[in-house]
Amino acid sequence: MTYADVIVVGAGPTGLMLAGELRLAGSRTLVLERQAEPRDTPKAGGLSGQVLELLRYRGLLEWLEAAGGQPRPAPRFPFGGLHVDFTQLADPPMQAVPLPQPQLERLLAERAVELGAELRRGHEVIGVSQDDATATVDVRGPDGPYQVTAGYLVGCDGAYSRVRELAAILFPGMTYPEVQRLAMVTVPDSVTVLENGDIEVAGIGRVPFGFTRTERGEFALGSTDPALMGLFTSEEETADYDDDEPMTVTELRDSIRRVLGVELPLGEPRRLTRFTFHARQAERYRDGRILLAGDAAHLFPSPGVALNADLLDTVNLAWKLGAAAAGWAPAHLLDTYHDERHHAASRTMLGAQAQVALRRGHDVAAEALRDLFQELLLDESALRRVGALMAGTDIRYPPADPNAHPLTGTFAPDLVAELMQAARPLFLDLADRPDLREIAAPWQPRVEIRMAENAERPADAILIRPDAYIAWAGTSDDPAGLREALFAWFGTP
């Protein structure tokens, strides 16, 4: 039997990001992954949304850019079988970094191990138990069965989470009878990419950019790289595919033929992904010393939102687990993980389910809904609102005090970007307030105290959690809540 502060089950992006964040919080971390080798199936093709800002605050964005390219505004982003057009905005709310999932996992694994996490591949969890002090995992490894014990266990093992099942945490919701196939392929010689994104295919004619609906399903064409074609199909199917079984070019070609009715020539594959759509959320993200994150906790019936939500789960959870393992966490702190991230996932689910309504209808009424939706998005305020929903930048964690400053519970402003790399709590005095610094002083060194000049300061001072969310903000006539916030989030000094 071995011991760690936290056992993380699953070495996908969620588990690996969590492992790195736990090490920043000082927790001894063990990652168990049932697959003996890293997966080479690129389920996700990149990162987008609020998590890009968080990664920039951590100093990781340049690291990812070197592997996948610069973050780029997404001028047109898919939403429910439509394209939301952000080209009228000088500052599009959606940014994207193209990075196939295997590369992302490799980079996150390197980071976690460099920070001191232990990663064991080929080690399958077959049982879990817990008591008041520890969580214990039964493991089947390459050399036989063994047990490992830790203060906490986090299931980051995906949609069919073994940890969630063994902990008897319910996962209510539904699975839609759709199979989605997504691919990036090189442009073959018989295909010409036109300036507007359409393609001209020898012997077939023009295939339009965007979404094409037929009686047999939905086909989409689009790419930001002129050397590649992005292809998508959606069909009504009840087949139960094994997530570990990779999709083939033949399977993609057959699906395009069924939906579009033509034999579309395809170049060399750069990404092949198959997935089904679920709308599910765990009833609770925490059961004693067992917690869930990522797809083990929630599944959304739309593309492009899962990784954003998954990785934001980890930065919310890691510092709280680190505080619990170090012994200074307030009694309720770990419960706020469920409260906040369940709330955030519910908001993401709202947008995802709205996409289902737009995507799945094929009658005249559904066409009218899509036309009206596109018309509403001609208004800048509506476009920005939908963009914020897509990016997850509209999430505000509900503050305990209904009269709290409007910044409380929101993502910290850009002025703190260079101060968040160490993932430590931060008290930032923006108005040279020695009285507020005196209140925060007993929490040093747990909370870093800094001064900064800002001509357009959002408040006199802000208290920022390691996940870059604001725990307290105040003005010159409202200092009273600072001490309470320090106790509530960072314990007794």
Side-chain angles (χ1 to χ4, degrees), residues 337-379:
Y337 168 65
H338 167 88
D339 297 340
E340 293 180 340
R341 294 310 298 165
H342 196 278
H343 164 77
S346 296
R347 180 68 181 168
T348 303
M349 189 72 76
L350 174 70
Q353 291 286 42
Q355 292 192 55
V356 172
L358 289 168
R359 183 181 73 235
R360 287 181 56 79
H362 292 281
D363 60 8
V364 175
E367 290 294 342
L369 175 64
R370 287 188 284 268
D371 289 345
L372 179 59
F373 184 80
Q374 295 268 225
E375 185 177 315
L376 291 172
L377 293 184
L378 295 175
D379 296 336

Side-chain angles (χ1 to χ4, degrees), residues 81-251:
L82 304 169
H83 273 100
V84 179
D85 187 353
F86 294 116
T87 55
Q88 65 175 288
L89 302 179
D91 54 340
M94 283 296 288
Q95 300 270 326
V97 173
L99 186 67
Q101 186 166 325
Q103 286 181 258
L104 174 63
E105 291 182 4
R106 177 176 58 79
L107 292 168
L108 291 176
E110 289 175 358
R111 174 186 183 241
V113 171
E114 286 175 1
L115 289 170
E118 180 182 355
L119 172 57
R120 299 180 186 176
R121 297 190 183 273
H123 292 250
E124 181 180 6
V125 172
I126 57 176
V128 303
S129 60
Q130 62 175 317
D131 55 30
D132 290 342
T134 60
T136 299
V137 180
D138 297 307
V139 185
R140 182 187 296 119
D143 299 323
Y146 66 95
Q147 280 190 332
V148 59
T149 296
Y152 297 92
L153 165 66
V154 187
C156 301
D157 48 344
Y160 303 98
S161 170
R162 185 70 172 144
V163 171
R164 187 185 64 236
E165 177 187 355
L166 291 168
I169 297 175
L170 298 181
F171 199 41
M174 68 175 296
T175 300
Y176 289 94
E178 300 175 73
V179 176
Q180 320 286 322
R181 294 177 175 88
L182 183 66
M184 296 293 289
V185 301
T186 59
V187 180
D189 293 339
S190 57
V191 172
T192 301
V193 180
L194 304 180
E195 191 172 326
N196 66 351
D198 295 357
I199 59 173
E200 190 73 36
V201 184
I204 294 176
R206 181 171 295 198
V207 178
F209 170 88
F211 291 89
T212 300
R213 291 178 178 81
T214 72
E215 294 179 355
R216 297 164 299 280
E218 188 174 61
F219 169 83
L221 168 70
S223 173
T224 57
D225 186 338
L228 297 174
M229 293 193 300
L231 305 169
F232 167 86
T233 64
S234 175
E235 300 180 80
E236 295 277 341
E237 292 186 46
T238 57
D240 186 15
Y241 289 94
D242 183 350
D243 284 353
D244 293 329
E245 179 186 347
M247 188 175 78
T248 64
V249 173
T250 299
E251 181 183 335

Side-chain angles (χ1 to χ4, degrees), residues 316 320 332-341 489:
N316 184 291
K320 298 172 183 178
H332 69 283
L333 186 63
L334 275 182
D335 289 331
T336 68
Y337 168 65
H338 167 88
D339 297 340
E340 293 180 340
R341 294 310 298 165
W489 291 107

